[in-house]
Amino acid sequence: MTELRKRGRGGDLDSTENISDKETDGEDRVGLAADAEGEGEGEADGEGDSKADTPEVPPSVDNTPECLNKALEGLSSRWKNWWVRGILSLTMITGFLLIIYLGPLMLILVVMMVQIKCFQEIITIGYRVYHSYDLPWFRTLSWYFLICVNYFFYGETVADYFGMLVQREEPLQFLARYHRFISFALYLAGFCMFVLSLVKKHYRLQFYMFAWTHVTLLIVVTQSHLVIQNLFEGMIWFIVPISIVICNDIMAYLFGFFFGRTPLIKLSPKKTWEGFIGGFFGTVVFGFIFAYLLAQYQYFVCPVEYDSETNSFTVECQPSELFVMQEYTLPAVVRSVLPWKTVNMYPFQVHSIALSTFASLIGPFGGFFASGFKRAFKIKDFANTIPGHGGIVDRFDCQYLMATFVHVYITSFIRGPNPSKVLQQLLVLQPEQQLSIYNLLRSHLRERGVLPPANAEAE
């Protein structure tokens, strides 16, 4: 920035070969003024935020239901907030259980709605920052790119898990065959529209917002896609991770509320070491017990598959070894303390410890990241959607990080080749390709002795 400032003031003739003074006067006035303010005032307050890049903070709105306000009017603000958060948390947990009862399709729809709301909240902050400059097409292009990215990811999901449906419908066959090309063409159209929307004196701001939109898409849409991928592995891979993050949030809040004394991190002044450590142990215990309860039911452990005959999702299967009770020998150190030599439990319970550990120790950094983001733009919450909790992003900042970890964990340590997915891919091939694969597979099985030799079959 210093170099640009010197060029602008000194009138360096060489600089005109790359940048027109007329074009850069306006945008550099905004950008460099912001830098100057950031250098002068940022050192004083320790944050280095420029006024030009900070939105006008809207006045805080108390959207707590009137009935709760009346019922809790005699309490201090601290205890009132405790009760409001508790009641709303129980309400959301009840709603979550109802959605689970309604099945996989409803879960997918809820993930999509949460994704759209999160995107809207983050994009709205960007619009507040730069609304005074009247940047053309910003909101329109942001939502257009959201549609394009969702078309790409959900199209991939349809091609992978709904092969039978695609084979029955000719329009879907065309869309599946050229899906990636269509997705790329749609993105290129948006890219060209952005280039055409560039306005003199606002180039830098427009590229800021272009990057803002794409980072938001990366954080929100990509992670949402991974959540749905985890769901198709079995609802237990969807429910347990989400539940242990919720549990960690609640446990950390309770331990911090009652026992918190030692600040944990400057980004979140209300977070304490007592809450962090208490949340860890509470989450590990909860995850271990909750995994035991869910692992007993096919509805939760079986992969979610599409049944083309009934046009619905099915969750019926022979549970894998991961969800079959096994006997484990306890370590000698544990046996010296406990009276048991062996214990019976599901292997998935062991994996639940890894998931709970990540949710407790690494997951909160998603919340710290969101806190840093909010402090950078001097806002308390992303929105006022949920009384006492803030916006949807405020509740799901740790969930997205957890979703990525679960997906990586499944692909690295759990998932083997998926026969159903392989079959879906085979059905898309041409008949001669299918016959070729059939003959190769039959020859391979004969060599391994799984099938009888050809002369034995003839007899």
Side-chain angles (χ1 to χ4, degrees), residues 17-89:
E17 295 178 3
N18 299 319
I19 305 174
S20 167
D21 289 340
K22 291 182 180 179
E23 291 182 3
T24 58
D25 268 350
E27 66 171 318
D28 280 351
R29 188 178 298 116
V30 174
L32 298 180
D35 292 336
E37 291 176 4
E39 290 174 5
E41 298 177 4
E43 294 175 0
D45 61 14
E47 293 184 4
D49 293 323
S50 63
K51 292 181 180 178
D53 286 344
T54 305
E56 296 179 2
V57 182
S60 58
V61 179
D62 183 10
N63 58 347
T64 306
E66 190 61 30
C67 58
L68 280 180
N69 277 328
K70 289 182 178 180
L72 305 173
E73 60 183 355
L75 299 176
S76 65
S77 59
R78 182 170 183 260
W79 279 100
K80 179 182 177 181
N81 182 62
W82 191 88
W83 279 104
V84 169
R85 287 175 66 94
I87 293 171
L88 267 297
S89 295

Side-chain angles (χ1 to χ4, degrees), residues 254-283:
L254 292 177
F255 277 92
F257 186 87
F258 290 107
F259 309 108
R261 295 291 183 274
T262 312
L264 175 63
I265 186 171
K266 290 183 178 180
L267 283 174
S268 295
K270 294 183 180 179
K271 297 289 194 303
T272 62
W273 275 105
E274 291 81 3
F276 187 74
I277 296 171
F280 166 71
F281 286 107
T283 303

Side-chain angles (χ1 to χ4, degrees), residues 235-373:
M235 285 202 289
I236 197 169
W237 291 105
F238 174 88
I239 298 170
V240 169
I242 287 180
S243 300
I244 59 180
V245 170
I246 294 172
C247 174
N248 180 254
D249 193 31
I250 294 173
M251 289 293 181
Y253 178 75
L254 292 177
F255 277 92
F257 186 87
F258 290 107
F259 309 108
R261 295 291 183 274
T262 312
L264 175 63
I265 186 171
K266 290 183 178 180
L267 283 174
S268 295
K270 294 183 180 179
K271 297 289 194 303
T272 62
W273 275 105
E274 291 81 3
F276 187 74
I277 296 171
F280 166 71
F281 286 107
T283 303
V284 171
V285 173
F286 169 81
F288 192 81
I289 297 173
F290 194 53
Y292 170 79
L293 296 175
L294 295 190
Q296 303 176 49
Y297 301 97
Q298 284 191 9
Y299 182 75
F300 297 115
V301 304
C302 289
V304 176
E305 297 180 351
Y306 177 76
D307 188 343
S308 59
E309 295 181 359
T310 60
N311 286 325
S312 62
F313 290 105
T314 61
V315 283
E316 297 178 358
C317 68
Q318 183 67 31
S320 66
E321 293 182 359
L322 203 61
F323 305 106
V324 176
M325 189 72 75
Q326 296 184 19
E327 186 177 67
Y328 291 87
T329 302
L330 294 174
V333 177
V334 179
R335 281 181 304 195
S336 64
V337 179
L338 299 177
W340 310 298
K341 293 184 178 180
T342 61
V343 293
N344 292 324
M345 62 181 185
Y346 296 100
F348 180 74
Q349 289 179 267
V350 179
H351 294 291
S352 75
I353 297 175
L355 299 179
S356 298
T357 301
F358 181 89
S360 303
L361 301 183
I362 307 299
F365 281 85
F368 301 152
F369 176 85
S371 296
F373 184 91

